Amino acid sequence: MKYKLTAIIVLIFMAVIFIVQNAAVVDIRFYFWTISISRILLMFILLVVGIVIGFLFNSYLKHIKKPV
């Protein structure tokens, strides 16, 4: 049990360091649009989009492989 608590504390500590180091604001330019957003928020949004796309692609592949 002590190993789990230690691992959780270490992971939380690493996540806090990661967030603090990536708090800078970055500009995203797409043609004539410009958006200013925190780098960590951008990484989180991209992670969520990637998870959703992976889930949808996996569901689509399972649907195709189903015998009729």
Side-chain angles (χ1 to χ4, degrees), residues 14-34:
M14 289 172 59
V16 168
I17 290 173
F18 182 76
I19 290 170
V20 169
Q21 288 181 343
N22 290 298
V25 176
V26 293
D27 290 333
I28 302 169
R29 287 184 225 128
F30 185 71
Y31 291 112
F32 50 86
W33 296 325
T34 302

Side-chain angles (χ1 to χ4, degrees), residues 22-65:
N22 290 298
V25 176
V26 293
D27 290 333
I28 302 169
R29 287 184 225 128
F30 185 71
Y31 291 112
F32 50 86
W33 296 325
T34 302
I35 299 172
S36 296
I37 190 170
S38 169
R39 187 180 300 157
I40 191 68
L41 185 59
L42 176 64
M43 287 183 203
F44 180 73
I45 291 169
L46 291 176
L47 175 69
V48 170
V49 168
I51 290 171
V52 169
I53 289 173
F55 176 76
L56 292 174
F57 187 68
N58 187 28
S59 298
Y60 177 71
L61 290 179
K62 284 183 181 179
H63 177 72
I64 287 177
K65 292 181 180 180

